[in-house]
Amino acid sequence: MFALLAHPLPVSLPLEDPILKFMLIMAIVLAAPLLLNKLRIPYLLGLIIAGAVIGPHGLNLVLRDSSIILSGTAGLLYIMFLSGLEIDIDDFRRNSGRSLVFGLYTFLIPMAVGIPGGHYILGFPLPSSILLAALFASQTLIAYPIVSKLGITRDKAVTIAVGGTVITDMLALLVLTIVVGVSTGSVGEAFWYRLGISIVACIAIIAFLFPLLGRWFFKHCSDSVSQYVFVLVMVFLGAYLAQLAGLEPIIGAFLSGLAMNRLIPRTSALMNRVEFVGNAIFIPFFLIGVGMLIDYRAFFRDWETLKVSAVMIVLVTGAKYAAAVLTQKSFRLTRDQRTVIFGLSSAHVAATLAAVMVGYNVILGHTPEGEPIRLLNESVLNGTILMILATCTVSTFATQRGAHRIALKGTPAEPGPAHERERILIPVSNRENVGELIALSTAVSPARKPPELYALRALDNRTEDLDARKRAAALLETAASAAAATDNYLHPLLRYDVNIVNAVMGVVREHRITDLVMGMHRAKAEPAGLGRTLSELLHHCNVTTLIYQPRQPLQTLRRHVVIVPRKAEQEAGFQSWLRRVRDLGRNTGAKLAFYAPAATMRFLRAGAGRQGAEAQYILFETWDDLPELLGEVRRDDCVWLVMSRRERVSYHPAMSRVPTLLAEALPGNGFVLVFPEQAGETDMLFMG
């Protein structure tokens, strides 16, 4: 110890020790929220400013070397991947026309003002002016973490802005490719064929092959680390394919997010890991790396740089605002939604930097003095840096203002009883299905209001087996870990009672449980059926009960087939289980298919438009035809059967044969038996 103090480690600037560099950057990431909240500076802007302060043009503490560039590139791709991953696919499809219109607005308006502005105001030749206009048209979703943190990623304005960003960036980068090709004389007939075929091939591979690979991998690999690494591989593979096709890598990252969207539910443990690592490591590195590009001294070297910068900032900000206003008027959006669209679309970082560097490196000739004549000169390069700082500032303030107001207004309450936080009890006995029971419990609850989870392991109060107690404690710890991975706290309950039914009933009363989620685990020797324990529990317990038999991971399911009996709408718990199923559809992205009689169908359809889940409604009049219907179930379907206790309104005799039918007809499919809350006391035994 004293030897180390006697010979201190040499510290020179800029820092070269990777330990010190990483420690400094992470200290900035840690301290930024604490300091910036007091100064009312947006977190994203603060990280950019911090990068400028510590960068080579500031205090020269850290160079923008290959390690910073690598981490920053990963962060940018991460932002685009998250924007594709968190988007509501159904909303994206419904708003695809609006996204296309906004994308054209935010591309054509900057092009319309950028070309004459560059040619007549700044005196650039026409090719340089077109490329400058393409810089104006491109945009980066640098403020997307703001809307993600506030939980409004599925708002119509965000969906339109994200879709429009992809469209305008693709068009802007195509303009870049064409202008550079024309300027260097490499555009010919083969150029257009090669470009078109490569773009179509890239989109087709990502859109069709990536989901197949993802579904296969998640079915065969349950290791959490391997799943996350697989996601990273898909992000960078999509980005590289886009780069090979002549597109910007950010387009490939966004398409990868769309392709993996349904495989990574927003309530899943994997989504929690993806967001956590991105927000803690990759995205801050990207923002700090952007700040390191800022050279404030370049703005005082000559008036030409200041002139170019001022023209660029005014034109691009005005053009993006005009596009947001036209979008608002076209689709009757609110002022706050217009502000969010403007905020998300006004920042210029990734595609802008790519375009300006390409244009700067294209040399068209040389002056008599031997100086290179560039497609975009040094004043545009330096002006772009100032434009990045200004537009990022405008973007973060505008997005934060609009998104905060939208978040405060919130989502209209769903019909039915007051939407209190669900209290879900999960009796656990089998380590193998604990993770899937937790996944189902979180998936059937609103994402904006996570459930309160309880796991119960019941032991006979006469037991003195120490090993049994240790196994029970380990099982509850497994359940708590699975819930923690989804960012939910679980209350582990080890209870001694005369039997499991009494233990469950006691917890239901003491903790005011609203839902039971149970596994269908039973001994092989036991005949097909619910079994005595479940039957007794249903006899005594009158809360919404889901009995789940998982066959494959929840996120790999394509569709949930919900079979509803006649008069189900007359049961007390009808709205409750229907709300759970719709939350499941929203949170997992899987399709819902309701099979029900005509009289019940109109109650199922009620409120479906407001609640957003994509669903089919198919007439199914009698449960006597249940075997034929089960024969039509696909391999990646999960079957939900809405049941009833004996002599209740919606009971049908075929329900007593359901477990046997499922075992025979669907040995490879998962299923859920739904027992709704019913009026009065459950005094009739359902089945033995």
Side-chain angles (χ1 to χ4, degrees):
M1 179 70 179
F2 292 105
L4 289 175
L5 294 175
H7 301 281
L9 295 174
V11 177
S12 59
L13 299 180
L15 296 175
E16 296 182 358
D17 189 328
I19 298 176
L20 290 178
K21 288 169 61 177
F22 192 81
M23 183 187 69
L24 174 63
I25 293 176
M26 296 313 297
I28 292 172
V29 175
L30 175 64
L34 303 177
L35 299 175
L36 299 175
N37 286 341
K38 297 180 180 180
L39 301 175
R40 296 183 178 274
I41 297 176
Y43 174 64
L44 305 183
L45 180 59
L47 291 179
I48 294 174
I49 295 173
V53 171
I54 69 171
H57 306 299
L59 299 178
N60 196 31
L61 298 180
V62 179
L63 290 178
R64 194 173 187 270
D65 55 16
S66 58
S67 62
I68 300 296
I69 294 173
L70 174 63
S71 303
T73 301
L76 174 58
L77 297 179
Y78 224 96
I79 289 176
M80 294 303 297
F81 175 72
L82 279 176
S83 64
L85 195 63
E86 294 183 345
I87 201 169
D88 189 317
I89 292 292
D90 300 329
D91 278 346
F92 186 68
R93 288 174 178 170
R94 284 193 290 268
N95 292 300
S96 58
R98 296 176 179 179
S99 296
L100 176 61
V101 171
F102 171 66
L104 293 176
Y105 281 157
T106 196
F107 172 74
L108 295 175
I109 295 176
M111 292 293 293
V113 301
I115 294 175
H119 191 60
Y120 295 107
I121 299 177
L122 299 178
F124 293 161
L126 188 58
S128 299
S129 300
I130 295 174
L131 189 53
L132 183 68
L135 299 184
F136 294 173
S138 64
Q139 57 199 42
T140 303
L141 293 172
I142 195 172
Y144 186 83
I146 293 176
V147 299
S148 179
K149 186 176 182 180
L150 290 173
I152 64 164
T153 55
R154 300 197 172 195
D155 186 83
K156 186 188 302 181
V158 178
T159 303
I160 292 173
V162 170
T165 296
V166 174
I167 293 169
T168 190
D169 279 353
M170 288 184 67
L171 293 174
L173 294 168
L174 283 175
V175 170
L176 167 67
T177 303
I178 294 170
V179 169
V180 171
V182 170
S183 301
T184 56
S186 59
V187 172
E189 187 175 348
F191 170 84
W192 298 105
Y193 285 119
R194 186 171 62 252
L195 182 64
I197 292 173
S198 60
I199 291 175
V200 171
C202 169
I203 295 175
I205 290 173
I206 296 176
F208 297 105
L209 185 58
F210 278 29
L212 294 177
L213 286 175
R215 183 166 280 104
W216 177 87
F217 186 86
F218 292 142
K219 280 183 180 179
H220 293 85
C221 179
S222 59
D223 179 68
S224 58
V225 175
S226 298
Q227 287 185 349
Y228 179 74
V229 173
F230 173 79
V231 170
L232 284 185
V233 170
M234 292 294 100
V235 175
F236 286 94
L237 178 58
Y240 184 66
L241 289 175
Q243 184 172 292
L244 289 179
L247 299 173
E248 187 67 17
I250 56 176
I251 305 298
F254 174 78
L255 293 177
S256 297
L258 286 181
M260 304 292 289
N261 184 287
R262 295 195 186 279
L263 297 175
I264 309 178
R266 54 179 174 164
T267 58
S268 67
L270 182 56
M271 173 64 92
N272 188 45
R273 295 186 192 99
V274 169
E275 290 183 332
F276 175 79
V277 176
N279 293 327
I281 303 291
F282 290 120
I283 295 176
F285 265 85
F286 164 66
L287 297 171
I288 292 172
V290 169
M292 290 182 179
L293 291 170
I294 299 173
D295 183 4
Y296 66 92
R297 291 169 295 187
F299 312 138
F300 305 103
R301 289 175 186 159
D302 56 75
W303 286 104
E304 181 67 17
T305 297
L306 293 177
K307 176 185 175 182
V308 172
S309 301
V311 171
M312 292 173 70
I313 293 170
V314 171
L315 291 181
V316 74
T317 304
K320 293 297 182 181
Y321 185 76
V325 170
L326 281 177
T327 304
Q328 178 200 8
K329 300 297 183 183
S330 299
F331 305 120
R332 298 180 181 179
L333 304 178
T334 65
R335 293 179 63 182
D336 293 331
Q337 288 176 318
R338 179 194 68 195
T339 303
V340 168
I341 290 176
F342 169 64
L344 289 173
S345 63
S346 58
H348 292 67
V349 181
T352 304
L353 281 175
V356 75
M357 292 306 299
V358 170
Y360 181 76
N361 290 327
V362 174
I363 299 176
L364 305 177
H366 292 82
T367 64
E369 293 79 16
E371 294 293 328
I373 302 174
R374 303 179 183 273
L375 188 57
L376 293 178
N377 59 30
E378 188 173 355
S379 63
V380 175
L381 178 62
N382 292 329
T384 300
I385 301 301
L386 183 57
M387 183 184 75
I388 288 173
L389 176 61
T391 57
C392 287
T393 303
V394 170
S395 174
T396 50
F397 275 108
T399 304
Q400 184 163 289
R401 180 182 179 186
H404 185 67
R405 288 181 175 178
I406 292 175
L408 285 178
K409 292 177 182 177
T411 306
E414 295 177 355
H419 206 71
E420 298 179 355
R421 189 179 183 188
E422 281 85 4
R423 294 169 175 263
I424 300 179
L425 175 62
I426 309 166
V428 294
S429 59
N430 180 13
R431 185 183 296 269
E432 295 178 359
N433 65 5
V434 166
E436 287 302 314
L437 293 178
I438 297 290
L440 181 67
S441 301
T442 56
V444 297
S445 302
R448 64 183 179 278
K449 192 176 291 186
E452 192 166 351
L453 301 177
Y454 296 81
L456 170 66
R457 182 67 176 116
L459 294 177
D460 191 323
N461 58 10
R462 295 167 295 181
T463 185
E464 296 181 1
D465 187 350
L466 183 59
D467 289 338
R469 296 177 185 178
K470 289 182 178 180
R471 289 193 298 270
L475 186 59
L476 291 173
E477 185 177 347
T478 300
S481 299
T486 65
D487 206 18
N488 287 284
Y489 177 74
L490 179 140
H491 302 269
L493 304 173
L494 179 59
R495 192 178 182 100
Y496 294 88
D497 215 316
V498 294
N499 56 47
I500 295 175
V501 174
N502 278 6
V504 172
M505 290 302 302
V507 173
V508 167
R509 294 191 185 101
E510 292 168 11
H511 296 278
R512 294 178 290 119
I513 297 298
T514 60
D515 301 81
L516 270 175
V517 176
M518 309 178 66
M520 192 69 178
H521 178 68
R522 59 178 178 267
K524 293 181 179 179
E526 189 173 332
L530 286 183
R532 176 171 296 178
T533 299
L534 288 178
S535 297
E536 290 183 3
L537 190 57
L538 291 169
H539 171 58
H540 295 288
C541 186
N542 191 22
V543 297
T544 302
T545 302
L546 307 181
I547 302 175
Y548 183 32
Q549 175 64 71
R551 299 292 189 190
Q552 65 185 72
L554 191 65
Q555 72 265 30
T556 63
L557 296 169
R558 296 176 184 268
R559 191 176 64 147
H560 294 276
V561 176
V562 186
I563 304 173
V564 186
R566 188 182 303 275
K567 298 182 181 180
E569 71 278 4
Q570 297 180 22
E571 301 285 5
F574 176 76
Q575 290 294 340
S576 179
W577 71 256
L578 181 58
R579 190 164 56 242
R580 304 287 189 271
V581 172
R582 284 180 174 153
D583 281 330
L584 174 75
R586 271 196 302 272
N587 292 332
T588 64
K591 295 180 180 179
L592 304 177
F594 290 95
Y595 288 79
T600 304
M601 194 69 75
R602 63 188 183 93
F603 294 94
L604 294 172
R605 290 179 180 272
R610 292 192 303 273
Q611 297 181 30
E614 181 183 355
Q616 295 175 298
Y617 298 89
I618 302 139
L619 288 178
F620 180 68
E621 291 292 345
T622 173
W623 275 42
D624 293 330
D625 299 331
L626 188 59
E628 290 77 7
L629 175 57
L630 294 179
E632 300 174 3
V633 171
R634 305 165 192 166
R635 188 176 65 175
D636 290 327
D637 288 349
C638 181
V639 179
W640 290 61
L641 293 109
V642 181
M643 310 287 279
S644 179
R645 297 161 178 86
R646 283 188 188 277
E647 299 185 12
R648 293 309 174 101
V649 177
S650 61
Y651 180 76
H652 189 283
M655 291 180 182
S656 63
R657 303 190 302 272
V658 161
T660 303
L661 286 175
L662 291 172
E664 294 175 354
L666 301 174
N669 288 80
F671 62 84
V672 181
L673 304 181
V674 182
F675 289 86
E677 179 184 353
Q678 297 182 304
E681 296 297 327
T682 56
D683 52 0
M684 296 293 179
L685 185 66
F686 172 69
M687 64 179 72

